[in-house]
Amino acid sequence: TCAAFSLLARLEGRSSLKNLEPCLFAEEGSPVHGDVIEFHGPEGTGKTEMLYHLVARCIIPKSGGGLEVEVMFIDTDYHFDMLRLVTILEHRLVQSTEEMIKQCLGRLFLVNCSSSTQLLLTLYSLENMFCTHPSLCLLIVDSISAFYWIDRSNGGESLNLQEMNLKKCANFLEKLVREHHLALFATTQTIMQKSTSSAESFFPLKLQHEFDTDYRPYLCKSWQQMVTHRIFFSKQFNSGNSKGFTVVSCHLKKNNVVKRSFSIAECGVQF
Amino acid sequence: MVVLRAGLCPGLTEEMIQVLRANSVRTVVDFVSSDLEDVSQKCSLSYKALVAVRRVLLAQFSAFPANGADLYEELKSSTAILPTGSPSLDQLLDSGLYTGEVTELMGTPGSGKTQVCLSIAASVSLGLKQHVLFLDSTGGFTASRLYQMLRAQAEDEEEQLEALQRIQVARVFDVYEMLSALQEVRDRLSQQAVSCTGPLKTVVIDSVSAVIHPLLGGRQSEGLAIMMQLARELKMLAKEFSLAVVVTNQVTRDSSTGLLKPALGRSWSFVPSTRVLLESKGAAWEEATTRRSASLAKSPRQVRLLPGLHLCDGEVTRTWAQSRGRLPMG
């Protein structure tokens, strides 16, 4: 009964995700439920700001131009800045009263996880919430790479043991996304040096002069394989460009790539 | 990795543990991720009993989601902005040090990091009459210099002494001592009835690079794992107890852009919310003519001069909500 009820309710909310942020995607009509979108980039490139932008788009009521859906935000490194989100909401709401702000924030759920084991167990216990909240259609994990070094160290010499928890998390996330018709956004941090070999580059040789990224995959295969869109974030260093940040967005199944610029103001991300 | 044992939660008996173990269900994760109908059949255990245990285990070991509106209500009044002792630095930081965050001061040796740390300690202790924990890992803390700063700000000897007493200094020589000192603070704060109004609001760590740098470069992942563990401790402390955590770090030059960046690598760079670069212009030995500059390298807020918020020494702490006009000044 849970699945049937939520499917019906979610099909209604499903189409509205298309208007979440079209500029982030290489083709129209994205994201849809079932999509797993990875934000990848070094520190200071706007990944978290982009998440706040998406959260604001979701929790603002339809009357204010938002999608009026609920969001589950899993914060794995105590990074979430509520006061920053409130500032963004203040700028985007026509009537930014305390009441309005709290009404919007009522659509946001936040959870802090301090280890990959706790993340896994939390995902299991959150399953119930997705059943009881049919308008909860966006799941965010910031970041999914937070436990990488600690897990690697705890796993000793065995790569299998090192990756075990994240693999289980990835598998369960896939199940949640599929069964409850969610869209998942997860950030991964650039913590490795870029591979110098062009053969190992993410992009085929012919595209490398146009799109170059600091990307070297390090998370387990289970995660890599469930990602449907990978979006690379980078910061411009030349002062001539007023839009300081860039995204290179790749639709992995269709092999579409697009590059766009954005800036970050008091009101958040602006394309 | 929590191993199942009798009494871990009600309903989990020794006999159950034995039979589960015989069927490769050893840890909480194993239990929670198993198909309970399957386990019930294989182990001849009551399905209902297993479901009940699963529910309790999840309640015990998973994290609970909070509603955004509730969280905002809590943060509105518990987030405070602390003066650093230097009005221009406060301006740079969008009024001062925010509690609930880790602020990083980076710079070359001699750029004034320790001075700023001492100034923060003096300002918070004397001006706000709040306690400060100072973890010194370089031996750079000098009580005499601190006393000098206090004497410059307060005439009354008793006031100066009281301010000194509110600053607790611990010398830590390696990361384990640092982690242990932080754990002690955590235990102490957990025992207080209402933690966000407790007297400790600031933890200063001078420096983080001194204890972490020796761990990096060797067996890569272990050093990095300990660094991330320390990072986690600092952020949890800041968030859970509404503290302003200030850390100092060295700098290195980025090979591709030529810009100065914080030491300790990419993984560390994600940790602080705010980062200030300290530089000193002028020769180090000409104390009188040394000019120091601070620039903002990273901030979670667009920095703008908020009218009427120029904090002077001895100014009362404003909470974030008051500064935004969302609560009356009290």
Side-chain angles (χ1 to χ4, degrees), chain A residues 2-47:
Chain A
C2 165
F5 172 65
S6 66
L7 172 58
L8 217 59
R10 239 175 274 285
L11 282 177
E12 217 169 279
R14 197 231 304 183
S15 56
S16 59
L17 276 183
K18 277 195 293 195
N19 298 318
L20 182 60
E21 183 45 85
C23 291
L24 266 183
F25 296 93
E27 76 293 323
E28 279 182 36
S30 277
V32 291
H33 74 98
D35 278 348
V36 175
I37 301 111
E38 182 182 320
F39 286 177
H40 186 86
E43 177 263 327
T45 51
K47 300 187 295 299

Side-chain angles (χ1 to χ4, degrees), chain B:
Chain B
M1 177 148 52
V2 185
V3 176
L4 292 170
R5 59 175 194 281
L8 186 63
C9 76
L12 202 55
T13 61
E14 185 60 46
E15 302 84 58
M16 273 178 95
I17 305 275
Q18 295 297 348
V19 109
L20 287 168
R21 207 173 284 167
N23 282 278
S24 323
V25 178
R26 286 187 195 88
T27 64
V28 174
V29 172
D30 290 338
F31 191 99
V32 164
S33 50
S34 312
D35 181 339
L36 292 183
E37 280 185 17
D38 209 39
V39 173
S40 163
Q41 271 187 1
K42 280 198 198 143
C43 306
S44 325
L45 292 168
S46 146
Y47 176 70
K48 270 175 105 169
L50 289 175
V51 167
V53 168
R54 185 181 192 269
R55 197 176 304 132
V56 176
L57 284 177
L58 278 180
Q60 220 173 316
F61 290 101
S62 64
F64 280 131
N67 181 272
D70 297 334
L71 203 62
Y72 173 51
E73 202 52 55
E74 238 180 76
L75 284 174
K76 244 196 327 191
S77 48
S78 68
T79 303
I81 308 175
L82 312 177
T84 61
S86 153
S88 45
L89 181 58
D90 287 342
Q91 229 177 56
L92 193 69
L93 292 170
D94 193 14
S95 310
L97 292 169
Y98 278 61
T99 56
E101 290 183 8
V102 173
T103 303
E104 181 178 65
L105 305 170
M106 64 170 178
T108 56
S111 53
K113 304 188 290 293
T114 305
Q115 298 293 16
V116 174
C117 289
L118 292 174
S119 169
I120 292 170
S123 165
V124 171
S125 171
L126 191 61
L128 305 180
K129 299 203 173 11
Q130 286 173 354
H131 290 238
V132 178
L133 173 64
F134 198 112
L135 295 182
D136 177 23
S137 63
T138 63
F141 178 90
T142 48
S144 53
R145 179 76 186 107
L146 179 66
Y147 190 45
Q148 229 180 10
M149 287 184 177
L150 289 170
R151 286 179 67 194
Q153 290 178 37
E155 302 242 319
D156 185 41
E157 227 183 79
E158 207 177 299
E159 248 192 276
Q160 294 161 13
L161 275 167
E162 279 177 14
L164 270 179
Q165 281 172 343
R166 283 187 284 260
I167 302 173
Q168 185 194 342
V169 183
R171 294 218 142 86
V172 289
F173 296 112
D174 61 38
V175 74
Y176 303 102
E177 285 187 11
M178 189 174 284
L179 285 168
S180 156
L182 292 171
Q183 182 64 49
E184 222 182 272
V185 174
R186 196 119 93 84
D187 292 340
R188 214 191 329 149
L189 288 172
S190 302
Q191 283 167 12
Q192 282 175 227
V194 188
S195 56
C196 71
T197 58
L200 180 68
K201 273 265 168 260
T202 315
V203 175
V204 178
I205 302 180
D206 183 23
S207 76
V208 127
S209 43
V211 297
I212 295 293
H213 193 74
L215 303 173
L216 302 177
R219 284 195 61 194
Q220 277 273 315
S221 61
E222 263 190 27
L224 283 161
I226 299 176
M227 179 177 82
M228 295 320 290
Q229 203 188 323
L230 177 64
R232 184 160 297 274
E233 282 299 318
L234 294 173
K235 296 197 84 158
M236 274 206 283
L237 214 58
K239 272 254 148 80
E240 274 179 36
F241 301 106
S242 280
L243 305 180
V245 175
V246 181
V247 301
T248 65
N249 190 10
Q250 299 281 6
V251 286
T252 60
R253 212 165 266 285
D254 187 290
S255 47
S256 48
T257 62
L259 297 170
L260 286 174
K261 64 180 184 186
L264 301 181
R266 292 160 182 248
S267 297
W268 176 263
S269 70
F270 289 95
V271 176
S273 315
T274 304
R275 184 175 292 125
V276 173
L277 169 66
L278 294 173
E279 294 173 293
S280 68
K281 323 238 174 230
W285 60 85
E286 293 167 359
E287 277 260 330
T289 58
T290 303
R291 277 172 304 121
R292 298 232 156 85
S293 80
S295 47
L296 199 63
K298 178 180 182 178
S299 168
R301 298 163 280 278
Q302 287 290 98
V303 179
R304 246 185 7 170
L305 254 185
L306 292 170
L309 217 75
H310 198 74
L311 295 173
C312 315
D313 301 326
E315 180 83 47
V316 152
T317 307
R318 257 166 245 259
T319 63
W320 178 88
Q322 286 168 344
S323 78
R324 277 295 206 280
R326 292 195 170 282
L327 277 185
M329 300 287 284

Side-chain angles (χ1 to χ4, degrees), chain A residues 3 6-7 10 33-34 136-137 176-183:
Chain A
S6 66
L7 172 58
R10 239 175 274 285
H33 74 98
L136 191 51
C137 39
L176 281 178
V177 166
R178 199 179 356 110
E179 284 182 5
H180 300 275
H181 309 280
L182 312 169

Side-chain angles (χ1 to χ4, degrees), chain A residues 80 90 98 102 108 110 124, chain B residues 33 66 68 73 76 239 326:
Chain A
F80 187 79
E90 280 174 356
E98 278 301 278
K102 285 178 78 172
L108 173 64
L110 277 136
Y124 276 108
Chain B
S33 50
E73 202 52 55
K76 244 196 327 191
K239 272 254 148 80
R326 292 195 170 282

